[in-house]
Amino acid sequence: MVASEATPYAKTGGLADVASALPRALVRLGHAVDVVIPRYRGITGGDRVARVAVPLGTSIADADIYAITEAGVRTLFVGHPPYFDREYLYGVGNDDYGDNAARFAFLARAALEWVAGTGERYTVVHAHDWQAGLVPLLLRHTLAGAAAFRRVPAVLTIHNLAYQGLFEASWLPRLGLEWELMHVDAIEYWGRISFLKAGIVFSSRITTVSPQYAREIQTPEFGFGFDGILRSRSADLIGILNGIDYDEWDPARDPCLPVPYGASRLDGKDAAKRLVLELVGLPADDEDRRRPLVGMISRLVDQKGFDLLAELGDELPRLDASFVLLGAGERRYEELWRNLAARHPGRIAVSIGFDEAMAHRIEAGADLFLMPSRFEPCGLNQMYSLRYGTVPVVRATGGLYDTVRNVDPATGEGTGFTFDEYSPRALLAALRRALDMYRNRPAWRRIQAAGMGQDFSWDSSARQYAELYERADNK
Ligand code: ADP
Ligand code: GLC
């Protein structure tokens, strides 16, 4: 597999969880998997196992390949300090690094040079997202003649269609790609080039991370201009729901929590709530802890519904609830939430930054988890929430639609609260329904128990990938 991030080495979002957990699950099924990611700043250790020469345009640069094996999965790190020894993975603040085209073309080429040079017999190459999008193109076009790649199919997983790896066409020669690729059935996209499109066109099979998102991206509303291309590949496109890694996300054995807990004993959840409230500076005594706490852990981008929350603004603390947000991303949203917290210090707390331990504590300590996404390819936090007895309030889109069952007001059956229309009113109505239900303790317990009993382990999803690899013929 080739990806731009994988836990525990580098993470900005759910891709990292998947690029780590899926290989582990495949290994448990008896497969062997190597994962190639960049050797970013901060990744140390590992043995240097090779040096490969990576041609890029008219020049050739060396990449040192380092290896670490954990949980049966070997991760190979592409070391090239000029590209990867930087403070961030993709850019500073809202600005991408200006040479991302070269950086991720280098990753793709280095991965394949490793494959060609190592003598290992790889039976399939699986690329994730636009950062690995050139892998299928190189494999099936530029390097197609090489003996090492004969009969090796490429599979692409789209984790998020909004990120397309779009660059000026003038990059082509600098990346060593032929001008003949600059057409609508290859890498060209409205006069520019798209790494993601290259991945889609040259892969034998395409997956995305939930069945509902696989349907949605073939429509103009969710296709981001790619719906036509995806419809033309619909026979080869399948949605496989992400799993979650219960070794990392299980309240019964989560080292970040003060007291472990499970479905039969929820006291640990209250201890976590107290800890979270204290850590973020919200009132935490017995009386205060009766008020429901709404948690959010998210990249602060439009995708996640932050424009809806912005419109609601001061209406949120008028509800009988407190809010805690952990996130990083666009500055305007960071500021908006800082200001909201400053205006409502007893009710809203914000923690800007990336904090893994805090994410676990909020999952446990919150009563409700809010995810009003405009679109959501899969979403992991709602699944973590279900496991932690934290009832999700989500917009019914993509993977959220596939994983959260709206509570039926007549029977009380369901695992969360969903809304359809992308509007502040619809979001507020869903939150109100949830908060009303929260007061009915037995009903709430049933909803929590239903969520905690769901099984989103990787096993069945990994089996689906394994079957797909078997069927991925040499296209
Ligand atoms: P996406 O990949 O679109 O960001 P997902 O729900 O698939 O959304 O995955 C997000 C992952 O990143 C989760 O594991 C979540 O806990 C984590 N995460 C997001 N923001 C933060 C943050 N500020 N601090 C810690 N973890 C975060
Ligand atoms: C992307 C999507 C998210 C998905 C994750 C892992 O970042 O935005 O919905 O869960 O990838 O597949």
Side-chain angles (χ1 to χ4, degrees), residues 296 300-302 304-317 325 332-337 340 343 348 370 372 422-425 427:
M296 284 172 277
L300 303 180
V301 294
D302 279 339
K304 302 294 181 178
F306 281 97
D307 51 341
L308 295 187
L309 292 166
E311 282 186 59
L312 290 175
D314 295 302
E315 276 190 65
L316 292 173
L325 166 73
R332 58 190 171 129
Y333 290 133
E334 294 186 359
E335 265 156 40
L336 189 121
W337 277 88
L340 264 181
R343 283 203 297 279
I348 298 188
L370 185 56
Y422 190 73
S423 72
R425 293 295 121 199
L427 160 55

PDB file of all heavy atoms in Angstrom, residues 296 300-302 304-317 325 332-337 340 343 348 370 372 422-425 427:
ATOM      1  N   MET A 296     -17.050  17.442  20.011  1.00  0.00           N
ATOM      2  CA  MET A 296     -16.693  17.470  18.583  1.00  0.00           C
ATOM      3  C   MET A 296     -15.178  17.354  18.481  1.00  0.00           C
ATOM      4  O   MET A 296     -14.456  18.016  19.230  1.00  0.00           O
ATOM      5  CB  MET A 296     -17.109  18.798  17.943  1.00  0.00           C
ATOM      6  CG  MET A 296     -18.581  18.929  17.677  1.00  0.00           C
ATOM      7  SD  MET A 296     -18.984  20.614  17.138  1.00  0.00           S
ATOM      8  CE  MET A 296     -19.091  21.427  18.706  1.00  0.00           C
ATOM      9  N   LEU A 300     -11.162  21.468  11.099  1.00  0.00           N
ATOM     10  CA  LEU A 300     -12.077  22.611  11.024  1.00  0.00           C
ATOM     11  C   LEU A 300     -12.164  23.086   9.572  1.00  0.00           C
ATOM     12  O   LEU A 300     -11.473  24.012   9.158  1.00  0.00           O
ATOM     13  CB  LEU A 300     -11.595  23.741  11.934  1.00  0.00           C
ATOM     14  CG  LEU A 300     -11.422  23.371  13.408  1.00  0.00           C
ATOM     15  CD1 LEU A 300     -10.940  24.565  14.219  1.00  0.00           C
ATOM     16  CD2 LEU A 300     -12.744  22.863  13.971  1.00  0.00           C
ATOM     17  N   VAL A 301     -12.996  22.381   8.819  1.00  0.00           N
ATOM     18  CA  VAL A 301     -13.166  22.688   7.393  1.00  0.00           C
ATOM     19  C   VAL A 301     -14.655  22.626   7.066  1.00  0.00           C
ATOM     20  O   VAL A 301     -15.443  22.048   7.818  1.00  0.00           O
ATOM     21  CB  VAL A 301     -12.392  21.684   6.504  1.00  0.00           C
ATOM     22  CG1 VAL A 301     -10.890  21.819   6.708  1.00  0.00           C
ATOM     23  CG2 VAL A 301     -12.820  20.247   6.808  1.00  0.00           C
ATOM     24  N   ASP A 302     -15.021  23.228   5.934  1.00  0.00           N
ATOM     25  CA  ASP A 302     -16.435  23.254   5.527  1.00  0.00           C
ATOM     26  C   ASP A 302     -17.055  21.869   5.503  1.00  0.00           C
ATOM     27  O   ASP A 302     -18.208  21.692   5.860  1.00  0.00           O
ATOM     28  CB  ASP A 302     -16.567  23.858   4.127  1.00  0.00           C
ATOM     29  CG  ASP A 302     -16.547  25.378   4.168  1.00  0.00           C
ATOM     30  OD1 ASP A 302     -16.822  25.938   5.249  1.00  0.00           O
ATOM     31  OD2 ASP A 302     -16.244  25.992   3.127  1.00  0.00           O
ATOM     32  N   LYS A 304     -17.031  19.510   7.311  1.00  0.00           N
ATOM     33  CA  LYS A 304     -17.514  18.977   8.579  1.00  0.00           C
ATOM     34  C   LYS A 304     -18.715  19.736   9.127  1.00  0.00           C
ATOM     35  O   LYS A 304     -19.131  19.515  10.268  1.00  0.00           O
ATOM     36  CB  LYS A 304     -16.375  18.977   9.598  1.00  0.00           C
ATOM     37  CG  LYS A 304     -15.161  18.168   9.144  1.00  0.00           C
ATOM     38  CD  LYS A 304     -15.470  16.670   9.038  1.00  0.00           C
ATOM     39  CE  LYS A 304     -14.253  15.874   8.608  1.00  0.00           C
ATOM     40  NZ  LYS A 304     -14.500  14.435   8.549  1.00  0.00           N
ATOM     41  N   GLY A 305     -19.257  20.671   8.330  1.00  0.00           N
ATOM     42  CA  GLY A 305     -20.469  21.368   8.755  1.00  0.00           C
ATOM     43  C   GLY A 305     -20.214  22.582   9.619  1.00  0.00           C
ATOM     44  O   GLY A 305     -21.140  23.073  10.279  1.00  0.00           O
ATOM     45  N   PHE A 306     -18.996  23.084   9.616  1.00  0.00           N
ATOM     46  CA  PHE A 306     -18.712  24.231  10.487  1.00  0.00           C
ATOM     47  C   PHE A 306     -19.388  25.511  10.034  1.00  0.00           C
ATOM     48  O   PHE A 306     -19.585  26.418  10.826  1.00  0.00           O
ATOM     49  CB  PHE A 306     -17.199  24.409  10.681  1.00  0.00           C
ATOM     50  CG  PHE A 306     -16.668  23.443  11.689  1.00  0.00           C
ATOM     51  CD1 PHE A 306     -16.084  22.256  11.288  1.00  0.00           C
ATOM     52  CD2 PHE A 306     -16.851  23.675  13.043  1.00  0.00           C
ATOM     53  CE1 PHE A 306     -15.646  21.331  12.220  1.00  0.00           C
ATOM     54  CE2 PHE A 306     -16.424  22.755  13.983  1.00  0.00           C
ATOM     55  CZ  PHE A 306     -15.823  21.572  13.570  1.00  0.00           C
ATOM     56  N   ASP A 307     -19.779  25.570   8.760  1.00  0.00           N
ATOM     57  CA  ASP A 307     -20.547  26.741   8.341  1.00  0.00           C
ATOM     58  C   ASP A 307     -21.945  26.719   8.962  1.00  0.00           C
ATOM     59  O   ASP A 307     -22.480  27.759   9.337  1.00  0.00           O
ATOM     60  CB  ASP A 307     -20.588  26.860   6.815  1.00  0.00           C
ATOM     61  CG  ASP A 307     -21.018  25.564   6.134  1.00  0.00           C
ATOM     62  OD1 ASP A 307     -20.943  24.491   6.771  1.00  0.00           O
ATOM     63  OD2 ASP A 307     -21.439  25.629   4.973  1.00  0.00           O
ATOM     64  N   LEU A 308     -22.530  25.541   9.126  1.00  0.00           N
ATOM     65  CA  LEU A 308     -23.839  25.455   9.799  1.00  0.00           C
ATOM     66  C   LEU A 308     -23.708  25.893  11.255  1.00  0.00           C
ATOM     67  O   LEU A 308     -24.524  26.660  11.781  1.00  0.00           O
ATOM     68  CB  LEU A 308     -24.386  24.020   9.787  1.00  0.00           C
ATOM     69  CG  LEU A 308     -24.751  23.388   8.459  1.00  0.00           C
ATOM     70  CD1 LEU A 308     -25.438  22.050   8.711  1.00  0.00           C
ATOM     71  CD2 LEU A 308     -25.660  24.309   7.669  1.00  0.00           C
ATOM     72  N   LEU A 309     -22.673  25.386  11.906  1.00  0.00           N
ATOM     73  CA  LEU A 309     -22.477  25.723  13.321  1.00  0.00           C
ATOM     74  C   LEU A 309     -22.213  27.214  13.473  1.00  0.00           C
ATOM     75  O   LEU A 309     -22.671  27.843  14.428  1.00  0.00           O
ATOM     76  CB  LEU A 309     -21.322  24.907  13.901  1.00  0.00           C
ATOM     77  CG  LEU A 309     -21.628  23.407  13.998  1.00  0.00           C
ATOM     78  CD1 LEU A 309     -20.362  22.602  14.235  1.00  0.00           C
ATOM     79  CD2 LEU A 309     -22.638  23.140  15.121  1.00  0.00           C
ATOM     80  N   ALA A 310     -21.512  27.796  12.492  1.00  0.00           N
ATOM     81  CA  ALA A 310     -21.235  29.232  12.536  1.00  0.00           C
ATOM     82  C   ALA A 310     -22.543  30.007  12.490  1.00  0.00           C
ATOM     83  O   ALA A 310     -22.722  30.999  13.199  1.00  0.00           O
ATOM     84  CB  ALA A 310     -20.332  29.626  11.373  1.00  0.00           C
ATOM     85  N   GLU A 311     -23.481  29.534  11.662  1.00  0.00           N
ATOM     86  CA  GLU A 311     -24.762  30.247  11.580  1.00  0.00           C
ATOM     87  C   GLU A 311     -25.541  30.136  12.879  1.00  0.00           C
ATOM     88  O   GLU A 311     -26.250  31.050  13.266  1.00  0.00           O
ATOM     89  CB  GLU A 311     -25.594  29.707  10.420  1.00  0.00           C
ATOM     90  CG  GLU A 311     -25.143  30.242   9.076  1.00  0.00           C
ATOM     91  CD  GLU A 311     -26.085  29.814   7.963  1.00  0.00           C
ATOM     92  OE1 GLU A 311     -27.284  30.138   8.039  1.00  0.00           O
ATOM     93  OE2 GLU A 311     -25.597  29.140   7.032  1.00  0.00           O
ATOM     94  N   LEU A 312     -25.397  29.020  13.564  1.00  0.00           N
ATOM     95  CA  LEU A 312     -26.129  28.866  14.832  1.00  0.00           C
ATOM     96  C   LEU A 312     -25.474  29.684  15.942  1.00  0.00           C
ATOM     97  O   LEU A 312     -26.156  30.285  16.766  1.00  0.00           O
ATOM     98  CB  LEU A 312     -26.204  27.394  15.230  1.00  0.00           C
ATOM     99  CG  LEU A 312     -27.115  26.543  14.357  1.00  0.00           C
ATOM    100  CD1 LEU A 312     -27.015  25.085  14.761  1.00  0.00           C
ATOM    101  CD2 LEU A 312     -28.569  27.016  14.455  1.00  0.00           C
ATOM    102  N   GLY A 313     -24.143  29.687  15.953  1.00  0.00           N
ATOM    103  CA  GLY A 313     -23.389  30.537  16.873  1.00  0.00           C
ATOM    104  C   GLY A 313     -23.959  30.580  18.283  1.00  0.00           C
ATOM    105  O   GLY A 313     -24.015  29.561  18.993  1.00  0.00           O
ATOM    106  N   ASP A 314     -24.412  31.756  18.684  1.00  0.00           N
ATOM    107  CA  ASP A 314     -24.839  31.955  20.062  1.00  0.00           C
ATOM    108  C   ASP A 314     -26.119  31.201  20.430  1.00  0.00           C
ATOM    109  O   ASP A 314     -26.498  31.177  21.604  1.00  0.00           O
ATOM    110  CB  ASP A 314     -25.020  33.452  20.343  1.00  0.00           C
ATOM    111  CG  ASP A 314     -23.693  34.175  20.240  1.00  0.00           C
ATOM    112  OD1 ASP A 314     -22.762  33.798  20.968  1.00  0.00           O
ATOM    113  OD2 ASP A 314     -23.579  35.098  19.408  1.00  0.00           O
ATOM    114  N   GLU A 315     -26.774  30.607  19.440  1.00  0.00           N
ATOM    115  CA  GLU A 315     -27.957  29.789  19.784  1.00  0.00           C
ATOM    116  C   GLU A 315     -27.546  28.496  20.488  1.00  0.00           C
ATOM    117  O   GLU A 315     -28.322  27.930  21.252  1.00  0.00           O
ATOM    118  CB  GLU A 315     -28.738  29.418  18.517  1.00  0.00           C
ATOM    119  CG  GLU A 315     -29.691  30.507  18.078  1.00  0.00           C
ATOM    120  CD  GLU A 315     -30.622  30.024  16.989  1.00  0.00           C
ATOM    121  OE1 GLU A 315     -31.436  29.120  17.261  1.00  0.00           O
ATOM    122  OE2 GLU A 315     -30.526  30.549  15.869  1.00  0.00           O
ATOM    123  N   LEU A 316     -26.334  28.032  20.212  1.00  0.00           N
ATOM    124  CA  LEU A 316     -25.913  26.741  20.779  1.00  0.00           C
ATOM    125  C   LEU A 316     -25.942  26.748  22.305  1.00  0.00           C
ATOM    126  O   LEU A 316     -26.566  25.875  22.920  1.00  0.00           O
ATOM    127  CB  LEU A 316     -24.531  26.343  20.258  1.00  0.00           C
ATOM    128  CG  LEU A 316     -24.471  25.999  18.762  1.00  0.00           C
ATOM    129  CD1 LEU A 316     -23.025  25.786  18.318  1.00  0.00           C
ATOM    130  CD2 LEU A 316     -25.315  24.756  18.459  1.00  0.00           C
ATOM    131  N   PRO A 317     -25.290  27.737  22.951  1.00  0.00           N
ATOM    132  CA  PRO A 317     -25.296  27.694  24.419  1.00  0.00           C
ATOM    133  C   PRO A 317     -26.658  27.999  25.037  1.00  0.00           C
ATOM    134  O   PRO A 317     -26.833  27.836  26.246  1.00  0.00           O
ATOM    135  CB  PRO A 317     -24.256  28.758  24.798  1.00  0.00           C
ATOM    136  CG  PRO A 317     -24.119  29.626  23.618  1.00  0.00           C
ATOM    137  CD  PRO A 317     -24.409  28.789  22.420  1.00  0.00           C
ATOM    138  N   LEU A 325     -15.003  21.449  21.866  1.00  0.00           N
ATOM    139  CA  LEU A 325     -14.498  21.216  20.511  1.00  0.00           C
ATOM    140  C   LEU A 325     -12.988  21.051  20.553  1.00  0.00           C
ATOM    141  O   LEU A 325     -12.278  21.882  21.128  1.00  0.00           O
ATOM    142  CB  LEU A 325     -14.846  22.409  19.620  1.00  0.00           C
ATOM    143  CG  LEU A 325     -14.097  22.473  18.275  1.00  0.00           C
ATOM    144  CD1 LEU A 325     -14.614  21.420  17.307  1.00  0.00           C
ATOM    145  CD2 LEU A 325     -14.210  23.848  17.644  1.00  0.00           C
ATOM    146  N   ARG A 332     -10.485  30.894  10.122  1.00  0.00           N
ATOM    147  CA  ARG A 332     -11.749  31.586  10.434  1.00  0.00           C
ATOM    148  C   ARG A 332     -12.575  30.756  11.420  1.00  0.00           C
ATOM    149  O   ARG A 332     -13.259  31.295  12.286  1.00  0.00           O
ATOM    150  CB  ARG A 332     -12.535  31.878   9.164  1.00  0.00           C
ATOM    151  CG  ARG A 332     -12.852  30.639   8.363  1.00  0.00           C
ATOM    152  CD  ARG A 332     -13.405  31.002   7.002  1.00  0.00           C
ATOM    153  NE  ARG A 332     -13.489  29.785   6.210  1.00  0.00           N
ATOM    154  CZ  ARG A 332     -14.578  29.403   5.573  1.00  0.00           C
ATOM    155  NH1 ARG A 332     -15.665  30.136   5.620  1.00  0.00           N
ATOM    156  NH2 ARG A 332     -14.576  28.285   4.875  1.00  0.00           N
ATOM    157  N   TYR A 333     -12.506  29.429  11.297  1.00  0.00           N
ATOM    158  CA  TYR A 333     -13.285  28.603  12.230  1.00  0.00           C
ATOM    159  C   TYR A 333     -12.613  28.538  13.599  1.00  0.00           C
ATOM    160  O   TYR A 333     -13.293  28.495  14.624  1.00  0.00           O
ATOM    161  CB  TYR A 333     -13.502  27.205  11.657  1.00  0.00           C
ATOM    162  CG  TYR A 333     -14.443  27.198  10.475  1.00  0.00           C
ATOM    163  CD1 TYR A 333     -14.131  26.508   9.317  1.00  0.00           C
ATOM    164  CD2 TYR A 333     -15.649  27.903  10.518  1.00  0.00           C
ATOM    165  CE1 TYR A 333     -14.989  26.501   8.219  1.00  0.00           C
ATOM    166  CE2 TYR A 333     -16.501  27.911   9.429  1.00  0.00           C
ATOM    167  CZ  TYR A 333     -16.168  27.208   8.280  1.00  0.00           C
ATOM    168  OH  TYR A 333     -17.020  27.215   7.208  1.00  0.00           O
ATOM    169  N   GLU A 334     -11.301  28.533  13.605  1.00  0.00           N
ATOM    170  CA  GLU A 334     -10.605  28.561  14.891  1.00  0.00           C
ATOM    171  C   GLU A 334     -11.010  29.824  15.661  1.00  0.00           C
ATOM    172  O   GLU A 334     -11.355  29.769  16.841  1.00  0.00           O
ATOM    173  CB  GLU A 334      -9.082  28.542  14.690  1.00  0.00           C
ATOM    174  CG  GLU A 334      -8.560  27.260  14.080  1.00  0.00           C
ATOM    175  CD  GLU A 334      -7.031  27.179  14.010  1.00  0.00           C
ATOM    176  OE1 GLU A 334      -6.343  28.134  14.427  1.00  0.00           O
ATOM    177  OE2 GLU A 334      -6.533  26.149  13.536  1.00  0.00           O
ATOM    178  N   GLU A 335     -10.988  30.955  14.936  1.00  0.00           N
ATOM    179  CA  GLU A 335     -11.322  32.219  15.603  1.00  0.00           C
ATOM    180  C   GLU A 335     -12.767  32.263  16.051  1.00  0.00           C
ATOM    181  O   GLU A 335     -13.093  32.685  17.156  1.00  0.00           O
ATOM    182  CB  GLU A 335     -11.050  33.396  14.664  1.00  0.00           C
ATOM    183  CG  GLU A 335      -9.678  33.986  14.907  1.00  0.00           C
ATOM    184  CD  GLU A 335      -9.149  34.716  13.690  1.00  0.00           C
ATOM    185  OE1 GLU A 335      -9.945  35.411  13.023  1.00  0.00           O
ATOM    186  OE2 GLU A 335      -7.940  34.560  13.414  1.00  0.00           O
ATOM    187  N   LEU A 336     -13.646  31.805  15.161  1.00  0.00           N
ATOM    188  CA  LEU A 336     -15.062  31.810  15.495  1.00  0.00           C
ATOM    189  C   LEU A 336     -15.318  31.048  16.796  1.00  0.00           C
ATOM    190  O   LEU A 336     -16.040  31.518  17.684  1.00  0.00           O
ATOM    191  CB  LEU A 336     -15.815  31.150  14.353  1.00  0.00           C
ATOM    192  CG  LEU A 336     -17.309  31.257  14.444  1.00  0.00           C
ATOM    193  CD1 LEU A 336     -17.823  31.969  13.212  1.00  0.00           C
ATOM    194  CD2 LEU A 336     -17.962  29.893  14.545  1.00  0.00           C
ATOM    195  N   TRP A 337     -14.678  29.888  16.919  1.00  0.00           N
ATOM    196  CA  TRP A 337     -14.918  29.078  18.114  1.00  0.00           C
ATOM    197  C   TRP A 337     -14.229  29.662  19.341  1.00  0.00           C
ATOM    198  O   TRP A 337     -14.760  29.587  20.447  1.00  0.00           O
ATOM    199  CB  TRP A 337     -14.514  27.626  17.861  1.00  0.00           C
ATOM    200  CG  TRP A 337     -15.645  26.940  17.170  1.00  0.00           C
ATOM    201  CD1 TRP A 337     -15.870  26.886  15.835  1.00  0.00           C
ATOM    202  CD2 TRP A 337     -16.770  26.313  17.799  1.00  0.00           C
ATOM    203  NE1 TRP A 337     -17.054  26.247  15.580  1.00  0.00           N
ATOM    204  CE2 TRP A 337     -17.625  25.875  16.763  1.00  0.00           C
ATOM    205  CE3 TRP A 337     -17.143  26.068  19.123  1.00  0.00           C
ATOM    206  CZ2 TRP A 337     -18.825  25.209  17.014  1.00  0.00           C
ATOM    207  CZ3 TRP A 337     -18.335  25.397  19.370  1.00  0.00           C
ATOM    208  CH2 TRP A 337     -19.155  24.980  18.331  1.00  0.00           C
ATOM    209  N   LEU A 340     -16.615  32.335  20.417  1.00  0.00           N
ATOM    210  CA  LEU A 340     -17.802  31.751  21.058  1.00  0.00           C
ATOM    211  C   LEU A 340     -17.469  31.320  22.486  1.00  0.00           C
ATOM    212  O   LEU A 340     -18.228  31.591  23.424  1.00  0.00           O
ATOM    213  CB  LEU A 340     -18.264  30.517  20.283  1.00  0.00           C
ATOM    214  CG  LEU A 340     -19.372  30.661  19.252  1.00  0.00           C
ATOM    215  CD1 LEU A 340     -19.679  29.305  18.631  1.00  0.00           C
ATOM    216  CD2 LEU A 340     -20.636  31.242  19.887  1.00  0.00           C
ATOM    217  N   ARG A 343     -17.228  34.213  24.793  1.00  0.00           N
ATOM    218  CA  ARG A 343     -18.524  34.809  25.153  1.00  0.00           C
ATOM    219  C   ARG A 343     -19.321  33.913  26.100  1.00  0.00           C
ATOM    220  O   ARG A 343     -20.185  34.398  26.820  1.00  0.00           O
ATOM    221  CB  ARG A 343     -19.350  35.067  23.886  1.00  0.00           C
ATOM    222  CG  ARG A 343     -18.910  36.283  23.096  1.00  0.00           C
ATOM    223  CD  ARG A 343     -20.035  36.825  22.227  1.00  0.00           C
ATOM    224  NE  ARG A 343     -20.479  35.882  21.213  1.00  0.00           N
ATOM    225  CZ  ARG A 343     -19.856  35.686  20.056  1.00  0.00           C
ATOM    226  NH1 ARG A 343     -18.765  36.357  19.772  1.00  0.00           N
ATOM    227  NH2 ARG A 343     -20.320  34.809  19.193  1.00  0.00           N
ATOM    228  N   ILE A 348     -19.033  26.744  26.654  1.00  0.00           N
ATOM    229  CA  ILE A 348     -18.331  26.311  25.441  1.00  0.00           C
ATOM    230  C   ILE A 348     -16.837  26.358  25.708  1.00  0.00           C
ATOM    231  O   ILE A 348     -16.317  27.360  26.203  1.00  0.00           O
ATOM    232  CB  ILE A 348     -18.680  27.221  24.245  1.00  0.00           C
ATOM    233  CG1 ILE A 348     -20.178  27.151  23.945  1.00  0.00           C
ATOM    234  CG2 ILE A 348     -17.871  26.818  23.013  1.00  0.00           C
ATOM    235  CD1 ILE A 348     -20.611  27.858  22.681  1.00  0.00           C
ATOM    236  N   LEU A 370     -21.206  15.382  17.985  1.00  0.00           N
ATOM    237  CA  LEU A 370     -21.850  16.109  16.897  1.00  0.00           C
ATOM    238  C   LEU A 370     -20.993  16.066  15.634  1.00  0.00           C
ATOM    239  O   LEU A 370     -19.805  16.390  15.657  1.00  0.00           O
ATOM    240  CB  LEU A 370     -22.060  17.557  17.356  1.00  0.00           C
ATOM    241  CG  LEU A 370     -22.830  18.479  16.416  1.00  0.00           C
ATOM    242  CD1 LEU A 370     -24.201  17.912  16.078  1.00  0.00           C
ATOM    243  CD2 LEU A 370     -22.982  19.859  17.082  1.00  0.00           C
ATOM    244  N   PRO A 372     -22.079  17.259  11.936  1.00  0.00           N
ATOM    245  CA  PRO A 372     -23.088  17.692  10.956  1.00  0.00           C
ATOM    246  C   PRO A 372     -22.515  17.838   9.551  1.00  0.00           C
ATOM    247  O   PRO A 372     -22.761  18.835   8.867  1.00  0.00           O
ATOM    248  CB  PRO A 372     -23.497  19.061  11.522  1.00  0.00           C
ATOM    249  CG  PRO A 372     -22.267  19.581  12.214  1.00  0.00           C
ATOM    250  CD  PRO A 372     -21.452  18.384  12.653  1.00  0.00           C
ATOM    251  N   TYR A 422     -29.256  19.935   4.710  1.00  0.00           N
ATOM    252  CA  TYR A 422     -28.051  20.625   5.169  1.00  0.00           C
ATOM    253  C   TYR A 422     -28.409  22.060   5.529  1.00  0.00           C
ATOM    254  O   TYR A 422     -28.258  22.991   4.735  1.00  0.00           O
ATOM    255  CB  TYR A 422     -26.971  20.595   4.089  1.00  0.00           C
ATOM    256  CG  TYR A 422     -25.632  21.078   4.601  1.00  0.00           C
ATOM    257  CD1 TYR A 422     -24.873  20.289   5.456  1.00  0.00           C
ATOM    258  CD2 TYR A 422     -25.141  22.337   4.261  1.00  0.00           C
ATOM    259  CE1 TYR A 422     -23.659  20.725   5.955  1.00  0.00           C
ATOM    260  CE2 TYR A 422     -23.921  22.781   4.754  1.00  0.00           C
ATOM    261  CZ  TYR A 422     -23.191  21.970   5.601  1.00  0.00           C
ATOM    262  OH  TYR A 422     -21.991  22.408   6.105  1.00  0.00           O
ATOM    263  N   SER A 423     -28.959  22.243   6.735  1.00  0.00           N
ATOM    264  CA  SER A 423     -29.353  23.588   7.161  1.00  0.00           C
ATOM    265  C   SER A 423     -29.191  23.696   8.667  1.00  0.00           C
ATOM    266  O   SER A 423     -29.283  22.698   9.394  1.00  0.00           O
ATOM    267  CB  SER A 423     -30.819  23.850   6.790  1.00  0.00           C
ATOM    268  OG  SER A 423     -31.671  23.094   7.640  1.00  0.00           O
ATOM    269  N   PRO A 424     -28.956  24.925   9.157  1.00  0.00           N
ATOM    270  CA  PRO A 424     -28.816  25.110  10.600  1.00  0.00           C
ATOM    271  C   PRO A 424     -30.068  24.661  11.349  1.00  0.00           C
ATOM    272  O   PRO A 424     -29.981  24.096  12.431  1.00  0.00           O
ATOM    273  CB  PRO A 424     -28.609  26.618  10.764  1.00  0.00           C
ATOM    274  CG  PRO A 424     -28.268  27.146   9.420  1.00  0.00           C
ATOM    275  CD  PRO A 424     -28.771  26.180   8.409  1.00  0.00           C
ATOM    276  N   ARG A 425     -31.247  24.889  10.740  1.00  0.00           N
ATOM    277  CA  ARG A 425     -32.507  24.522  11.425  1.00  0.00           C
ATOM    278  C   ARG A 425     -32.577  23.014  11.629  1.00  0.00           C
ATOM    279  O   ARG A 425     -32.959  22.530  12.677  1.00  0.00           O
ATOM    280  CB  ARG A 425     -33.736  24.962  10.598  1.00  0.00           C
ATOM    281  CG  ARG A 425     -33.937  26.431  10.453  1.00  0.00           C
ATOM    282  CD  ARG A 425     -34.230  27.085  11.792  1.00  0.00           C
ATOM    283  NE  ARG A 425     -33.205  28.091  12.017  1.00  0.00           N
ATOM    284  CZ  ARG A 425     -32.899  28.623  13.186  1.00  0.00           C
ATOM    285  NH1 ARG A 425     -33.530  28.249  14.276  1.00  0.00           N
ATOM    286  NH2 ARG A 425     -31.954  29.524  13.290  1.00  0.00           N
ATOM    287  N   LEU A 427     -30.186  20.877  11.712  1.00  0.00           N
ATOM    288  CA  LEU A 427     -29.191  20.466  12.697  1.00  0.00           C
ATOM    289  C   LEU A 427     -29.700  20.743  14.112  1.00  0.00           C
ATOM    290  O   LEU A 427     -29.639  19.878  14.997  1.00  0.00           O
ATOM    291  CB  LEU A 427     -27.879  21.218  12.421  1.00  0.00           C
ATOM    292  CG  LEU A 427     -26.849  21.345  13.537  1.00  0.00           C
ATOM    293  CD1 LEU A 427     -26.446  20.012  14.105  1.00  0.00           C
ATOM    294  CD2 LEU A 427     -25.600  22.065  13.010  1.00  0.00           C
TER     295      LEU A 427
END
